[in-house]
Amino acid sequence: MNKNSFFSQFTTQNISIEQFLEKGFGSASSNIALIKYWGKRDLSLNLPLTSSLSLSLGDLGTQTTLSLHSKREADQYSINGVVLLRNEPTYQRLYRFLSPFRPKDHHFELRSVNTVPTKAGLASSASGYAALAGALDALFAWNLDEPSLSRLARLGSGSASRSVLKEGFALWNRGERADGMDCYAKRIDQRWSSLRWVILPVDFSPKKIGSKEAMQQTFATSPFGSKWVQRVAQELEIAVKAISEKDFAALGAVMERNAFAMHALMRSAKPRISYFQPQTIAIIQWIYRLRSDGGLPVFMTMDAGPNIKLLLEEKSTKALKTAIEQESALFQSHQPIWINPWERVNI
Ligand code: PMV
């Protein structure tokens, strides 16, 4: 594929890689899906089977600086100051993503700093590829519009298409077109400033099966794939309505149902996929108790990792903090991380 037809996979703007600046900088907040993306309709373009919906992780994300060099032998990528080896999967994935943008006889230097634990089901690839899309845009001074940036980030990681939007809710449209030009994320214009995330860490070590492979395994073997697709469409409608009405109980409930349906779907794959650890289950049971016995309106979600993310309203913060203190044995290894989705201080 020549360069121009590659560029036409994400933008109709006229762009080139002939000229570039000394450095390009991009930053992005990570995001957590309220209604999940699980399953692809096109592998190479990262086109999803369903639309999905997310809320930003505010201060947790990635900052990336990109530059080009003519006197080097190879690309150099570092994450949090650690230089990646060329045989590492993360290096190879970045290399594949960046290759179509390489001017002749040049090599990239990429430096990323994550304020979100890398590869822990905390969507570091979402903010990573969204920040990288921004850094490419800045390096080549393209001035891409938001849909083009979202499609570009999507080519690196599906959920990154949602992280291009600077804050708040993002709705990533599945699109119908085979070329993916209608498949990008849009902002939902609703500032719900009392919402908060709390990450309850279980294990931050890299996951055993990545989301790409896990999605493929799910849809190749589970008997429930088409049920999931139907269900997501309905749940998305409920979630969008709940956001427009600021109905917290409705949003929390549909978010939680959707996440557990996704994990049930994975469990129905052959071989089964499970990101649950014993501590994950202990936390889930504790949340159920907090809600039923304590009347505390907090809802949970989980991605491709064992950590739990809670959605709550600011007014429940104090009660949740007290409940966490009382249950300190559950949170011995890592402290909970409190996030205001609307604050982007360090990103
Ligand atoms: O964008 P990926 O390939 O890292 O997949 C993300 C999958 C989930 O985090 C489980 C769900 C989502 O919508 O973010």
Side-chain angles (χ1 to χ4, degrees):
M1 187 187 294
N2 71 27
K3 295 253 182 273
N4 287 340
S5 51
F6 179 80
F7 297 158
S8 71
Q9 292 185 330
F10 63 89
T11 188
T12 51
Q13 292 174 238
N14 199 4
I15 61 167
S16 87
I17 51 169
E18 302 286 305
Q19 283 172 1
F20 47 88
L21 306 176
E22 203 180 314
K23 275 190 171 108
F25 176 77
S27 71
S29 299
S30 197
N31 71 76
I32 299 287
L34 302 162
I35 301 296
K36 307 294 184 191
Y37 144 57
W38 197 255
K40 300 180 202 265
R41 66 183 171 92
D42 183 296
L43 262 179
S44 65
L45 292 174
N46 269 340
L47 303 179
L49 277 170
T50 66
S51 299
S52 60
L53 169 71
S54 66
L55 176 62
S56 161
L57 269 179
D59 220 11
L60 291 193
T62 307
Q63 300 175 331
T64 293
T65 308
L66 201 58
S67 53
L68 277 162
H69 304 269
S70 58
K71 295 200 175 68
R72 294 207 182 166
E73 301 274 290
D75 284 8
Q76 197 190 75
Y77 312 141
S78 71
I79 300 181
N80 296 339
V82 179
V83 176
L84 302 182
L85 300 174
R86 268 191 255 174
N87 59 2
E88 282 183 56
T90 308
Y91 184 103
Q92 288 168 6
R93 186 170 165 191
L94 283 165
Y95 184 85
R96 276 196 302 276
F97 179 78
L98 282 171
S99 285
F101 305 104
R102 180 190 314 285
K104 198 168 177 307
D105 299 329
H106 280 75
H107 288 101
F108 282 105
E109 179 178 346
L110 170 149
R111 288 172 197 224
S112 276
V113 176
N114 279 330
T115 55
V116 51
T118 313
K119 281 202 220 145
L122 285 182
S124 66
S125 70
S127 55
Y129 280 94
L132 183 50
L136 275 170
D137 185 50
L139 182 67
F140 293 108
W142 291 328
N143 244 326
L144 289 176
D145 56 23
E146 221 166 56
S148 301
L149 277 173
S150 174
R151 287 184 292 247
L152 171 57
R154 186 199 76 223
L155 296 176
S157 168
S159 53
S161 67
R162 300 183 309 238
S163 269
V164 161
L165 308 181
K166 297 292 179 212
E167 62 166 30
F169 298 105
L171 181 60
W172 174 23
N173 181 29
R174 154 192 205 282
E176 298 300 327
R177 289 173 55 148
D179 66 1
M181 289 305 277
D182 54 354
C183 181
Y184 58 90
K186 282 188 194 155
R187 183 171 293 105
I188 292 189
D189 236 348
Q190 171 70 293
R191 197 180 162 85
W192 190 344
S193 50
S194 61
L195 288 185
R196 297 288 181 272
W197 284 120
V198 182
I199 296 173
L200 298 177
V202 168
D203 186 355
F204 281 163
S205 53
K207 51 198 176 204
K208 290 190 186 67
I209 175 164
S211 52
K212 187 176 180 184
E213 201 188 324
M215 284 183 205
Q216 274 173 276
Q217 191 166 309
T218 304
F219 287 88
T221 61
S222 167
F224 304 123
S226 57
K227 260 261 113 3
W228 163 255
V229 171
Q230 282 166 16
R231 191 185 164 122
V232 170
Q234 292 157 2
E235 289 176 337
L236 197 63
E237 262 181 46
I238 297 171
V240 169
K241 182 163 176 277
I243 290 171
S244 75
E245 293 169 357
K246 291 196 178 175
D247 182 341
F248 179 70
L251 181 63
V254 74
M255 172 190 84
E256 198 171 289
R257 275 201 310 276
N258 176 263
F260 288 139
M262 176 181 78
H263 286 278
L265 176 69
M266 291 184 208
R267 269 176 183 273
S268 70
K270 257 191 185 166
R272 111 199 130 85
I273 301 161
S274 172
Y275 292 104
F276 289 75
Q277 292 185 10
Q279 198 189 341
T280 313
I281 294 171
I283 293 177
I284 292 171
Q285 284 166 341
W286 172 68
I287 297 294
Y288 285 148
R289 280 202 305 278
L290 278 187
R291 259 204 327 253
S292 61
D293 306 347
L296 195 60
V298 290
F299 294 89
M300 57 198 142
T301 187
M302 259 179 89
D303 292 284
N307 306 304
I308 304 264
K309 294 100 184 198
L310 296 183
L311 187 68
L312 66 151
E313 287 181 293
E314 213 233 318
K315 61 179 186 222
S316 306
T317 302
K318 206 166 154 228
L320 182 63
K321 279 197 170 143
T322 309
I324 288 174
E325 274 164 28
Q326 284 165 354
E327 205 62 43
S328 56
L330 266 186
F331 307 107
Q332 252 160 16
S333 43
H334 302 280
Q335 286 305 306
I337 306 169
W338 294 79
I339 297 148
N340 180 345
W342 312 94
E343 231 169 49
R344 246 176 139 245
V345 180
N346 293 314
I347 292 297

